[in-house]
């Protein structure tokens, strides 16, 4: 047995040595012209290899080259530039001087997908007619690359579309394998750093290039990503998912279907497609099981509190991205000009600025800068919020118009969401029209304008009890009445309504009317949304809660008391003119008694004098 194993080992050594000797007798530089010719014939690209080719035997039989470039016809920059290239080849074909490449390995490569690396036909080249529908011959089908495996490591991809900014993908690792039918699998990872943001990508899947270039399909079986940096939440955004992708050459259409993605705690399903005409056409149909915008978007503003400290519950400001100098002079929403789109969105749950929306639906379209928001609505606190509108960005100065409609929405939730220090609650309904140039909360407060009709039910305003203010003031001014004791420092109304006008941060309230079982009010006023101040004038009628002189009680129930409320929203002041009301009551009572006395003594001289005096008053 030992003699047999010894003989077998000697035979194996002899075979390895023999094959190695045969390989060494083959000069890899004999294949240089062949490889250049085959690359040019099959793809139209020009392959250039610097330095001599050399063998690398262990652990895989390979041909090593020095610096290499791959350039399209007429291009000013190479498509691929690499410091070295490795070709893993099969042994047996070499014995008959045939080169069969099993894998191409590029390390330290720079891949440029830019206008400078695109093929440029010569001026005298014939132009094929656009309606050419000649059938393809077998040799023209499915030549994505005629090797079994491609591997790229520690490389860089530079991508640029026409005059857009360049996007650089670093630390690229790519592994692709295919069979004889040009169906294969791939793994990819890379990192993009741009505008102080880092995006890490990793994905794997399968590709069907059997009908390329007419049809190219891919299945992304596992896709993970992480985005961190400026203008993002502190924890960043990360997620994973799967999708199907397809490219149809004749229609110039790229589609994504069976989308199933996550971003932090948000989930997304649906499909989308883009047709690459002169102006791309998008069709988007997406569904969100949960969309937490508070976990995806940073707060764009901070609401200052007392002594300049941010209000409780507000996030700290995030690092802002730098302003790109080339974008400074671009008109707002300039990106809408370059495409058209039909968009349909649905979401079961949406969280935005702490507000919890349900059954959210949106339907909108863009026609080269004219964005029409046909439907944008959802449920909030048992009520309905609808914000249809239009954004016209075709002119130098964009214009947005929205037609909000609210039905029984809790006003306290909205005030808290936008950091307004007003302690007000109640169910609000609103219909109106508002317009402005920029769509954000800051612009709405500073430059928007419009008008609306507001109605509220079961309102409660903390910090000031109108009924109690009037009753206590009457008692202090010597009125012969007593009020019921109340320790509720809030004004309650069963119903309130007003006309509202907004103009550059000033909200004007006209024809205010409110009532409850205890009081009724009317009035007008203004709210400054920028400085967060107000100046309002009310006429207050306290309808109940009086005891004492019945005539005075009746008078107070029927007579409005002027009340002015003004100052900062978080520290309101008021003035109440109860003394004037009581003085008028006393004057009216004295006049009534004098008039009665004059009527009883109308025949006397004194009676006539009093009557004349009363007529002059």
């Amino acid at each position: 047995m030992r003699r047999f194993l010894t003989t077998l080992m000697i035979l194996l050594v002899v075979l390895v040595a023999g094959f190695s000797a045969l390989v060494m007798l083959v000069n890899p530089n004999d294949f240089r012209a062949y490889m250049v010719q085959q690359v040019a014939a099959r793809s139209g690209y020009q392959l250039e290899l610097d330095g001599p080719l050399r063998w690398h035997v262990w652990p895989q039989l390979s041909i090593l080259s020095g610096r290499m470039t791959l350039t399209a016809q007429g291009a000013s920059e190479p498509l691929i530039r690499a410091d070295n290239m490795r070709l893993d080849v099969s042994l047996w074909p070499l014995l008959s001087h045939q080169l069969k490449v099993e894998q191409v390995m590029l390390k330290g490569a720079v891949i440029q997908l830019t206008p400078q690396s695109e093929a440029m036909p010569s001026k005298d080249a014939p132009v094929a007619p656009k309606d050419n529908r000649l059938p393809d011959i077998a040799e023209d089908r499915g030549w994505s690359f005629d090797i079994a495996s491609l591997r790229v490591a520690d490389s860089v991809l530079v991508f640029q579309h026409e005059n857009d900014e360049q996007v650089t993908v670093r630390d690229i690792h790519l592994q692709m394998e295919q069979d004889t039918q040009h169906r294969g699998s791939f793994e990819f990872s890379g990192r993009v750093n741009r505008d102080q943001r880092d995006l890490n990508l990793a994905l794997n899947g399968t590709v069907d290039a059997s009908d390329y270039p007419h049809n190219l399909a891919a299945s992304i079986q596992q896709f993970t990503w992480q985005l961190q940096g400026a203008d993002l939440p502190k924890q960043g955004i990360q997620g994973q998912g799967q999708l199907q992708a397809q490219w149809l050459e004749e229609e110039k259409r790229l589609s994504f279907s069976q989308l199933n993605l996550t971003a932090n705690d948000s989930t997304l399903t649906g499909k989308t497609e883009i047709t690459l005409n002169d102006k791309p056409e998008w069709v988007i149909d997406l569904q969100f099981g949960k969309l937490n915008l508070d976990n995806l978007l940073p707060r764009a503003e901070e609401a200052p509190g007392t002594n300049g400290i941010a209000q409780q519950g507000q996030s700290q400001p995030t690092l802002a991205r730098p302003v790109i100098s080339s974008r400074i002079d671009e008109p707002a929403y300039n990106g809408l000009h370059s495409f058209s789109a039909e968009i349909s969105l649905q979401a079961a749950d949406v969280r935005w600025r702490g507000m919890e929306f349900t059954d959210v639906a949106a339907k909108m379209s863009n026609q080269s800068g004219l964005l029409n928001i046909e439907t944008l609505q959802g449920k909030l606190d048992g009520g309905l919020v609808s914000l249809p509108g239009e954004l016209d960005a075709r002119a130098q100065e964009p214009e947005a118009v929205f037609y909000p409609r609210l039905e029984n929405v809790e006003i306290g939730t909205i005030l808290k969401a936008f950091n307004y220090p007003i302690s007000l609650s109640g169910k609000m309904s609103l219909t109106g029209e508002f317009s402005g140039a920029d769509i954000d909360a800051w612009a709405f407060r500073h430059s928007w304008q419009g008008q609306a009709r507001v109605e509220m039910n079961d309102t409660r305003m903390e910090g000031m009890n109108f009924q109690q203010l009037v009753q206590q003031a009457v008692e202090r001014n010597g009125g012969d009445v007593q009020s019921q004791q109340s320790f509720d420092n809030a004004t309650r109304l069963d119903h309130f309504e007003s006309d509202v006008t907004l103009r550059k941060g000033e909200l004007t309230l006209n024809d205010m009317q409110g009532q409850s079982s205890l009081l009724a009010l009317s009035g007008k006023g203004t709210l400054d949304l920028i400085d967060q101040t107000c100046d309002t004038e009310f006429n207050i009628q306290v309808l109940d809660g009086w005891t004492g002189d019945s005539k005075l009680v009746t008078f107070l129930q029927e007579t409005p008391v002027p009340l002015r409320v003004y100052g900062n929203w978080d520290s309101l002041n008021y003035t109440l003119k109860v003394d004037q009301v009581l003085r008028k009551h006393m004057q009216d009572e004295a006049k009534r008694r004098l008039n009665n006395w004059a009527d009883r003594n109308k025949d006397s001289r004194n009676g006539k004098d009093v009557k004349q005096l009363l007529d002059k008053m």
Side-chain angles (χ1 to χ4, degrees):
M1 187 66 179
R2 180 182 302 174
R3 182 176 301 175
F4 173 76
L5 291 176
T6 303
T7 303
L8 184 62
M9 291 300 297
I10 293 173
L11 180 61
L12 181 61
V13 170
V14 171
L15 287 174
V16 171
F19 282 129
S20 299
L22 287 174
V23 169
M24 295 308 166
L25 293 177
V26 178
N27 186 355
N29 291 282
D30 294 342
F31 297 110
R32 179 191 296 269
Y34 172 75
M35 288 189 294
V36 172
Q37 179 184 1
Q38 287 298 310
V39 169
R42 302 302 298 273
S43 66
Y45 288 91
Q46 181 64 40
L47 175 64
E48 294 184 8
L49 301 172
D50 295 341
L53 303 180
R54 59 191 186 278
W55 287 112
H56 182 77
V57 178
W58 187 261
Q60 168 70 40
L61 182 60
S62 306
I63 297 176
L64 302 181
S65 76
R67 186 176 180 85
M68 63 81 63
T69 60
L70 188 65
T71 309
Q73 181 180 4
S76 59
E77 293 288 338
L79 174 67
I80 299 177
R81 180 189 294 113
D83 294 333
N84 56 72
M85 178 176 66
R86 190 185 79 196
L87 304 178
D88 296 338
V89 299
S90 298
L91 176 61
W92 290 109
L94 284 175
L95 302 180
S96 58
H97 281 236
Q98 295 179 1
L99 181 65
K100 182 178 180 181
V101 179
E102 294 183 344
Q103 175 175 271
V104 175
M105 168 68 178
L106 298 178
K107 188 175 180 62
V110 177
I111 306 169
Q112 298 187 95
L113 298 178
T114 65
Q116 291 75 22
S117 65
E118 292 181 355
M120 298 293 292
S122 61
K123 296 181 180 180
D124 299 331
V127 179
K130 294 184 178 180
D131 58 350
N132 181 26
R133 290 295 183 268
L134 294 177
D136 299 317
I137 61 176
E139 289 78 5
D140 291 336
R141 297 171 59 86
W143 59 263
S144 57
F145 56 92
D146 196 20
I147 54 178
S149 179
L150 171 66
R151 184 181 177 189
V152 180
D154 300 328
S155 299
V156 175
L157 169 64
V158 179
F159 175 80
Q160 183 182 22
H161 178 67
E162 296 180 352
N163 296 323
D164 295 340
E165 291 185 46
Q166 287 188 353
V167 177
T168 302
V169 185
R170 305 180 186 278
D171 300 335
I172 288 179
H173 289 264
L174 174 65
Q175 177 73 46
M176 297 183 65
E177 297 181 358
Q178 70 170 356
D179 57 22
T180 57
Q181 300 299 319
H182 301 288
R183 295 183 178 92
S185 61
F186 64 90
E187 295 182 4
F188 171 86
S189 64
R191 177 177 59 86
V192 181
N193 181 276
R194 187 183 184 193
D195 296 349
Q196 294 188 0
R197 287 182 175 181
D198 281 310
L199 173 62
N200 290 282
L201 299 171
L203 55 94
N204 63 71
T206 60
V207 176
D208 184 355
S210 58
D211 194 28
Y212 182 86
H214 307 288
N215 185 0
L216 179 64
S219 174
I220 310 299
Q221 299 169 350
Q222 183 64 39
F223 172 49
T224 60
W225 59 282
Q226 183 178 32
L227 180 63
Q228 291 181 315
D231 278 356
L232 291 172
K234 184 178 180 180
Q235 75 278 11
I237 305 174
Q238 58 184 344
Q240 58 184 0
Q242 304 86 32
L243 59 93
Q244 303 288 328
Q246 184 179 33
W247 167 254
L248 298 177
E249 174 64 25
E250 280 72 17
E251 292 86 353
K252 301 295 182 183
R253 182 180 303 157
L254 177 64
S255 61
F256 300 95
S257 60
Q258 301 181 34
L259 289 170
N260 189 357
L261 306 176
T262 65
N264 290 348
D265 58 344
S266 299
T267 60
L268 165 66
T269 60
K271 60 183 179 180
T272 182
E273 66 179 34
I274 173 175
T275 303
L276 297 177
N277 298 326
D278 293 337
K279 287 191 175 181
E281 299 177 3
W282 289 82
V283 178
I284 299 174
D285 184 8
L286 302 177
Q287 298 83 43
F288 298 88
K290 179 180 180 181
L291 179 58
N292 188 351
L293 295 175
D294 288 347
N295 208 9
L296 299 175
L297 303 175
R299 287 291 179 91
E301 57 187 33
E302 286 294 312
T306 306
N307 298 327
I309 301 175
Q311 293 187 37
Q312 184 177 1
Q314 299 305 311
S315 61
Q316 295 301 314
T318 57
L319 177 65
R321 286 191 294 167
V323 178
I324 307 301
S325 58
S326 60
R327 299 177 184 172
I328 294 177
D329 298 328
E330 287 186 1
Y333 309 107
N334 188 57
L336 295 175
H337 298 172
S338 59
F339 70 96
S340 62
E342 296 290 336
I343 303 172
S344 177
L345 306 175
Q346 292 182 332
D349 298 286
V350 176
R351 179 179 176 84
W352 179 57
R353 289 180 169 265
M355 296 182 287
E356 302 286 351
F357 294 88
T358 59
D359 298 334
V360 176
K363 185 176 182 181
M364 59 190 76
S365 63
N366 175 54
Q367 298 296 329
S368 302
L370 180 60
L371 178 63
N372 178 35
I373 304 175
E374 180 181 342
T375 302
L376 179 57
Q377 66 180 32
K379 296 179 181 178
L380 176 63
D381 292 333
L384 176 67
V385 178
S386 178
L387 291 172
E390 182 180 274
L391 171 63
D392 190 348
R394 295 172 296 181
Q396 184 70 22
E397 184 71 21
E399 182 178 358
V401 181
F402 282 85
Y403 307 92
R405 179 171 63 91
L406 279 66
E407 297 180 2
N408 298 320
V409 176
E410 175 56 51
I411 181 61
T413 302
I414 298 176
L415 294 174
K416 181 180 178 181
F418 290 92
N419 308 317
Y420 286 128
I422 301 178
S423 298
L424 178 66
S425 61
K427 298 295 185 179
M428 180 178 69
S429 298
L430 177 148
T431 56
E433 176 182 342
F434 296 91
S435 62
D438 294 319
I439 304 177
D440 59 50
W442 187 93
F444 182 84
R445 293 173 179 174
H446 288 76
S447 61
W448 278 55
Q449 58 187 2
Q451 55 189 4
R453 179 68 178 176
V454 177
E455 296 185 7
M456 296 180 62
N457 295 316
D458 301 324
T459 62
R460 176 185 174 95
M461 187 179 74
E462 302 288 346
M464 193 170 291
N465 189 329
F466 287 178
Q467 174 197 0
Q468 191 177 62
L469 291 177
V470 173
Q471 290 178 331
Q472 291 177 350
V474 169
E475 291 187 44
R476 287 196 302 268
N477 282 272
D480 191 14
V481 291
Q482 295 80 39
S483 61
Q484 296 177 354
Q485 293 294 325
S486 174
F487 300 98
D488 188 3
N489 191 26
T491 300
R492 297 173 178 267
L493 292 174
D494 297 332
H495 182 76
F496 174 85
E497 59 185 35
S498 176
D499 291 325
V500 175
T501 302
L502 174 65
R503 184 173 179 83
K504 295 184 178 180
E506 184 174 272
L507 193 67
T508 302
L509 306 174
N510 293 315
D511 192 23
M512 288 190 289
Q513 300 290 335
Q515 59 272 343
S516 69
S517 60
L518 297 178
L519 61 86
L521 63 82
S522 61
K524 61 181 181 179
T526 59
L527 302 177
D528 192 321
L529 303 183
I530 302 173
D531 296 332
Q532 297 189 359
T533 61
C534 74
D535 190 354
T536 54
E537 296 179 354
F538 298 99
N539 291 315
I540 308 298
Q541 290 179 255
V542 179
L543 306 177
D544 200 357
W546 301 103
T547 58
D549 186 350
S550 60
K551 292 183 179 180
L552 180 57
V553 168
T554 301
F555 171 79
L556 291 172
Q557 290 174 336
E558 297 175 350
T559 304
V561 177
L563 170 65
R564 180 188 175 206
V565 179
Y566 60 95
N568 294 323
W569 293 350
D570 52 358
S571 57
L572 293 173
N573 303 308
Y574 74 92
T575 57
L576 192 61
K577 300 179 181 179
V578 172
D579 54 342
Q580 297 179 3
V581 174
L582 294 177
R583 188 181 305 115
K584 183 178 183 301
H585 171 68
M586 295 176 62
Q587 291 174 348
D588 292 343
E589 182 65 19
K591 185 176 180 180
R592 183 186 64 80
R593 293 184 180 184
L594 289 173
N595 199 28
N596 291 338
W597 182 86
D599 289 339
R600 292 194 302 269
N601 299 277
K602 58 183 178 179
D603 295 331
S604 65
R605 182 176 179 83
N606 290 336
K608 294 179 180 181
D609 292 341
V610 171
K611 192 67 174 177
Q612 291 178 355
L613 179 61
L614 291 174
D615 292 339
K616 294 179 181 180
M617 293 178 61

